[in-house]
Amino acid sequence: MVHLQGQKRRRDQPIKKTSELLRVPALPFLCVLVACGAVVTACVSCGYSLAGRGSFLPAYIRTIGIPTFTNRTTVFNLETQLTQKVRAEFIGRGKYQVLPQNTGIDALLTGEVSAVTIVPASFNTQQLASRYAITMTARIELRDMRENKVLWENPSVMFRQEYEATSGRTATDPNAFFQQDTTSLERMSTEFARTIVSAILEAF
């Protein structure tokens, strides 16, 4: 469980989970999306924010800085894809001006991708992999720059997407996989951005 940094929870100010879909305390939130024939799941249960703020971020937040994410993995250009998709998702909501810098803004969204793994998800009758699951782990934080406090954070976002295996493909390295199938990285980045931005905005 993650609480807002630098701020203690009062008895009359409960912590609210990011998703309204699952109301059972202390159980993980599982968001399932189906896109382009792939099953996408993302666990954002560790994200928390103050309750009772309405449907969106505080009214004085009009500009959000989203600098390029940090990429701790070997997947080439992953940070660029994720950052662009998250920026586009916020812009698409039509309420915020999105900037690439980390100064002169009302709120700052930072992200760091720590790991990307690929494993067989299912096998055919010949015991060959028929589907592969790619899991990405990241840390996301949205900070109120005016009040200098964390509005939303998840130190360990786990995002999982499955892909059909293709003949002759050896999928043991995520970087090699995405190089062979560039659309897979774009799909994963798009669904990741949609899930994260929705989780943040639904928390208020």
Side-chain angles (χ1 to χ4, degrees):
M1 178 178 294
V2 178
H3 298 285
L4 295 179
Q5 296 178 358
Q7 186 166 329
K8 296 182 179 179
R9 180 169 64 94
R10 304 202 317 260
R11 293 183 179 274
D12 61 341
Q13 194 173 43
I15 295 295
K16 177 183 177 184
K17 297 199 72 175
T18 58
S19 173
E20 295 294 334
L21 299 180
L22 186 61
R23 300 181 180 274
V24 181
L27 290 180
F29 160 58
L30 184 64
C31 176
V32 180
L33 303 137
V34 178
C36 301
V39 177
V40 184
T41 63
C43 177
V44 292
S45 60
C46 295
Y48 288 85
S49 70
L50 289 176
R53 287 188 178 271
S55 301
F56 302 96
L57 298 179
Y60 57 81
I61 292 182
R62 300 182 181 276
T63 59
I64 300 177
I66 307 179
T68 302
F69 285 12
T70 301
N71 182 11
R72 304 294 184 190
T73 77
T74 61
V75 179
F76 176 72
N77 209 36
L78 176 61
E79 71 282 4
T80 302
Q81 284 271 16
L82 291 178
T83 305
Q84 290 176 347
K85 295 297 184 180
V86 171
R87 288 172 180 169
E89 189 67 26
F90 266 109
I91 292 173
R93 303 302 174 106
K95 294 183 65 68
Y96 310 102
Q97 180 184 11
V98 176
L99 302 172
Q101 66 259 27
N102 55 14
T103 58
I105 50 179
D106 300 321
L108 176 65
L109 181 72
T110 56
E112 177 181 308
V113 184
S114 57
V116 177
T117 60
I118 181 170
V119 295
S122 61
F123 298 86
N124 57 26
T125 56
Q126 287 76 38
Q127 295 304 304
L128 298 176
S130 58
R131 293 179 69 86
Y132 289 96
I134 297 181
T135 302
M136 180 170 60
T137 305
R139 179 191 63 81
I140 306 295
E141 178 187 281
L142 179 67
R143 178 174 292 272
D144 184 334
M145 300 299 286
R146 178 184 294 188
E147 301 294 333
N148 191 27
K149 66 180 181 181
V150 174
L151 292 172
W152 189 95
E153 67 174 351
N154 188 324
S156 187
V157 178
M158 295 190 68
F159 190 86
R160 181 177 183 271
Q161 187 169 33
E162 292 189 4
Y163 298 92
E164 294 288 344
T166 59
S167 178
R169 173 181 293 172
T170 301
T172 58
D173 175 55
N175 192 46
F177 180 89
F178 285 129
Q179 286 179 350
Q180 295 175 26
D181 187 353
T182 56
T183 61
S184 299
L185 179 57
E186 183 175 356
R187 291 207 311 262
M188 171 171 272
S189 300
T190 299
E191 297 298 344
F192 174 87
R194 184 176 298 125
T195 302
I196 291 300
V197 174
S198 294
I200 292 173
L201 297 183
E202 289 173 4
F204 292 87

